[in-house]
Amino acid sequence: MIKLRTIRELLRYSDWANQQILSRAAAFADEQLDRAFEMGMGSLRRTLLHIHNGEHVWLERLSGRVETPWPSEDERASVGGIEERFRALWTRRDAHLVNLDNDSLSGEQTYRDSRGGLFRTTRGAMLLQMCTHSTHHRAQALNMLRHSGATLPKPGADYIFMRLERPSDPPPEFDLDTIRAFFEYGDWAQSRVLAAAEALADEQLDRPFEIGVGSLRKTVLHIRFAEQWWLENWTVGPGKHFPELPLSTSVPETRRLFQETAARRNEFIAKLSEDGLERIVEAHPRPDVVRRFPLGVTLLQLCNHGVHHRAQAVNMLRRVGAAAPELDYMMSVRRPA
């Protein structure tokens, strides 16, 4: 069952990360906001509107509105205007959450999707969908910002960097049920990306892109090695830096390694108590860098990291001519109404 404690932390992160993008896009001229990209919704302005519209639509559905048409993303709204919409939305969302508890999150709602299908799912699933949808499209927006000459957040826009930037914030609270649901979704989505990649030739897998770590093969390997690296930090301790990418690894072998690591990770999580999520984990991502976070923070970081890089993988799949899978969290849990 998805619970409020972890959802609230995910929403705090989503708001912070959205603000990181909006503050950088605010300095852009119209030609930069409308520059065409082969990713996301086709331009930075449209992608910002899409992130906002996703959060708006899922809030409306969460509130019990079955029929919620998707707003247009063709308008030339200013970044300041989009930011005002976000702030008004966050206020409405937080006021709505005050009236929810864990039992109400397990209750179901019916909604009609943008293609006309009628589905049902839990309120908790709607909230997790809201968060993962924004993370997916922020990956695209960040890449557009980089290609347009913006200075990106330092050291990054990952969840752990929000926690580093805000050390005086109250310690985050987590629950294992939501974390398990998030990892279950990540494994489902990763299997879909790998299945699409498995049919490709080496020249497609290794085609260079100025996206993420640089190619589709590198991206699926990067997702798997992040899983391996964090698992080692949790179970063995610090000492290893983030691993190099062995570019000779085939997609079937990557799938096998990912499944093996995911099984070990799930076994580790199955033995955890919620008190154990407060244990401090030390990691050494680079020789001169030491990071210390509560275990729950690192678990949530890994979940969001996978969503971010799978967004890049889907774009690469599309651009090499493959059928790009749909990865929305909702598609993994919804049922026909």
Side-chain angles (χ1 to χ4, degrees):
M1 183 174 73
I2 292 171
K3 297 178 181 176
L4 275 169
R5 279 186 293 176
T6 303
I7 287 294
R8 288 187 186 279
E9 181 69 2
L10 281 168
L11 290 170
R12 274 191 288 271
Y13 165 59
S14 189
D15 296 351
W16 174 86
N18 286 339
Q19 186 62 63
Q20 297 296 306
I21 292 171
L22 289 163
S23 63
R24 285 157 177 81
F28 277 11
D30 284 339
E31 50 269 32
Q32 293 169 295
L33 293 170
D34 297 322
R35 175 183 170 182
F37 285 96
E38 288 187 85
M39 68 181 67
M41 308 312 295
S43 73
L44 179 57
R45 194 194 311 265
R46 286 178 58 86
T47 302
L48 292 174
L49 283 166
H50 187 74
I51 295 170
H52 168 270
N53 290 345
E55 297 193 13
H56 161 75
V57 166
W58 283 107
L59 179 58
E60 292 295 294
R61 292 169 178 169
L62 181 70
S63 303
R65 295 176 179 86
V66 176
E67 308 283 347
T68 308
W70 198 277
S72 171
E73 285 147 12
D74 293 330
E75 60 175 311
R76 289 170 61 82
S78 68
V79 175
I82 296 171
E83 183 173 355
E84 286 179 9
R85 295 182 200 183
F86 267 109
R87 293 193 178 279
L89 172 68
W90 297 338
T91 299
R92 288 192 293 115
R93 180 203 67 204
D94 291 348
H96 186 74
L97 289 180
V98 167
N99 298 315
L100 297 179
D101 57 21
N102 290 330
D103 287 340
S104 58
L105 256 59
S106 65
E108 289 194 333
Q109 299 269 71
T110 299
Y111 72 96
R112 192 177 303 280
D113 75 356
S114 56
R115 297 173 183 170
L118 200 61
F119 297 95
R120 58 178 175 164
T121 192
T122 66
R123 297 181 187 93
M126 287 182 169
L127 285 163
L128 188 51
Q129 163 66 21
M130 183 189 294
C131 297
T132 56
H133 179 269
S134 293
T135 299
H136 180 100
H137 289 287
R138 276 196 303 270
Q140 300 158 345
L142 282 164
N143 200 58
M144 293 176 191
L145 285 169
R146 181 170 65 86
H147 282 284
S148 299
T151 300
L152 297 186
K154 298 293 183 184
D158 284 12
Y159 168 62
I160 55 172
F161 298 134
M162 181 195 77
R163 299 305 314 182
L164 282 174
E165 184 184 286
R166 296 159 61 168
S168 61
D169 278 8
E173 296 183 338
F174 305 104
D175 69 275
L176 283 166
D177 285 346
T178 307
I179 288 171
R180 290 187 184 111
F182 205 158
F183 273 114
E184 185 176 347
Y185 158 63
D187 294 347
W188 172 87
Q190 187 72 356
S191 70
R192 290 171 70 85
V193 168
L194 290 168
E198 207 158 355
L200 301 180
D202 284 343
E203 55 266 29
Q204 293 168 297
L205 292 169
D206 299 320
R207 175 180 163 182
F209 289 98
E210 290 188 16
I211 301 171
V213 295
S215 74
L216 180 56
R217 192 195 306 268
K218 287 181 179 179
T219 300
V220 294
L221 283 167
H222 180 74
I223 294 168
R224 186 268 164 175
F225 276 103
E227 292 266 356
Q228 177 196 24
W229 184 72
W230 278 114
L231 181 63
E232 289 175 354
N233 283 303
W234 299 334
T235 58
V236 178
K240 290 189 176 181
H241 306 308
F242 202 83
E244 297 293 327
L245 303 172
L247 300 183
S248 60
T249 309
S250 68
V251 176
E253 176 66 3
T254 302
R255 178 192 290 276
R256 185 191 69 79
L257 291 169
F258 181 85
Q259 291 173 339
E260 177 184 279
T261 303
R264 291 171 52 218
R265 175 246 294 152
N266 291 340
E267 182 180 350
F268 168 76
I269 293 174
K271 296 176 181 177
L272 287 177
S273 67
E274 296 200 346
D275 288 345
L277 297 175
E278 299 174 8
R279 173 172 69 89
I280 298 301
V281 173
E282 182 174 306
H284 302 168
R286 296 187 299 280
D288 58 339
V289 176
V290 177
R291 303 288 193 205
R292 295 181 180 89
F293 296 102
L295 174 60
V297 167
T298 65
L299 288 163
L300 215 58
Q301 163 65 19
L302 185 54
C303 289
N304 281 296
H305 178 271
V307 176
H308 178 98
H309 286 289
R310 279 190 293 271
Q312 298 169 336
V314 165
N315 182 250
M316 294 177 196
L317 282 164
R318 189 177 295 115
R319 290 170 67 178
V320 300
E326 293 190 66
L327 300 182
D328 270 9
Y329 169 71
M330 190 54 63
M331 295 188 66
S332 70
V333 293
R334 70 185 186 183
R335 295 178 292 164

